[in-house]
């Protein structure tokens, strides 16, 4: 498992504003919607259009949150690798997510980061 911290920007999250605006969604549907928003952004952030896009799903404590947005939070400090619960590899068209367990991330991450 990876250890230490990583710098990250806003994290998509089921904030009060998001939950209120999407009250018709159950928890799973809300998480899926946020994951797909993150997937779209991951595709845009790739170095090349051929490179893989991936997202990390974190479980964070309220005490780690510095700011709540409409559908995101900003952390008060760097994210911790031990808070990562899984990763998703985004399909080239952004329509599918392939799940990776925490123990698979360390072996897959170098390949995903290749440019």
């Amino acid at each position: 498992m990876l250890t230490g911290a990583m710098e990250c920007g806003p994290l998509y999250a089921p904030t009060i504003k998001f939950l209120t605006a999407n009250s018709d969604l159950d928890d799973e549907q809300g998480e899926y919607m946020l994951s797909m928003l993150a997937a779209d952004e991951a595709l845009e952030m790739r170095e090349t259009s051929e490179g893989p896009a991936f997202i990390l799903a974190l479980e964070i404590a309220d005490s780690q949150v510095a700011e709540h947005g409409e559908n995101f939070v900003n952390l008060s400090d760097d994210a911790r690798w031990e808070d990562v619960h899984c990763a998703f590899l985004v399909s080239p068209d952004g329509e599918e997510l392939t799940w990776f367990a925490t123990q698979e991330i360390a072996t897959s991450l170098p390949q995903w980061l290749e440019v």
Side-chain angles (χ1 to χ4, degrees), residues 4-106:
M6 64 185 136
E7 185 180 332
C8 62
L11 304 173
Y12 287 99
T15 63
I16 296 297
K17 290 179 182 179
F18 175 82
L19 295 172
T20 302
N22 297 284
S23 60
D24 57 323
L25 302 178
D26 64 25
D27 289 347
E28 188 174 310
Q29 291 170 321
E31 287 179 10
Y32 177 77
M33 179 184 258
L34 292 167
S35 296
M36 295 311 290
L37 289 171
D40 286 343
E41 190 166 333
L43 286 170
E44 291 174 14
M45 293 175 61
R46 294 179 299 176
E47 294 287 327
T48 68
S49 60
E50 295 82 35
F54 66 94
I55 56 177
L56 300 174
L58 288 81
E59 186 72 34
I60 56 171
D62 288 339
S63 60
Q64 293 174 269
V65 177
E67 175 190 11
H68 290 83
E70 186 173 326
N71 60 3
F72 69 90
V73 296
N74 283 314
L75 301 182
S76 54
D77 208 351
D78 288 343
R80 301 178 310 213
W81 278 104
E82 54 266 20
D83 294 334
V84 174
H85 279 242
C86 67
F88 294 98
L89 187 62
V90 183
S91 66
D93 63 4
E95 297 297 319
E96 295 180 31
L97 303 175
T98 303
W99 181 84
F100 287 80
T102 53
Q103 61 270 30
E104 297 174 296
I105 296 171

